[in-house]
């Protein structure tokens, strides 16, 4: 149904040139101060796109985002103590 998506953090040296990153995937966020961008792309073309991104002169480093692997289902191990403090 939906294609598997992968996120990458792209560190760059030129903010103006970083606007061209959207042709490699969906540009989600760009930080001008820290000079990085969050880029999402389909997992099946991600490996080839990363190789092409590394060839760009303004790209310093590319890191894979581990957001998909973080546990988002939480369990409540302790009782809710807030109800005991109500008057």
């Amino acid at each position: 149904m939906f294609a598997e998506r992968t996120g990458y953090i792209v560190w760059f040296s030129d903010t103006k040139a970083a606007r061209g990153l959207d042709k490699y995937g969906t540009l989600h966020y760009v930080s001008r101060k820290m000079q990085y961008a969050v880029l999402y792309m389909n997992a099946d073309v991600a490996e080839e796109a990363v190789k092409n991104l590394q060839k760009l002169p303004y790209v310093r480093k590319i890191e894979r985002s581990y957001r998909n692997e973080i546990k988002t289902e939480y369990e409540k191990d302790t009782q809710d103590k807030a109800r005991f403090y109500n008057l």
Side-chain angles (χ1 to χ4, degrees), residues 34-72:
M34 294 183 64
Q35 294 188 339
Y36 75 92
V38 179
L39 186 68
Y40 286 97
M41 60 187 81
N42 291 340
D44 55 345
V45 297
E47 190 174 321
E48 186 176 328
V50 169
K51 288 179 185 177
N52 292 336
L53 281 169
Q54 288 174 340
K55 294 177 185 177
L56 296 174
Y58 56 89
V59 173
R60 288 188 287 158
K61 182 169 71 169
I62 300 174
E63 298 176 3
R64 192 168 67 86
S65 173
Y66 294 103
R67 186 167 189 243
N68 297 351
E69 300 168 11
I70 295 175
K71 181 181 170 187
T72 57

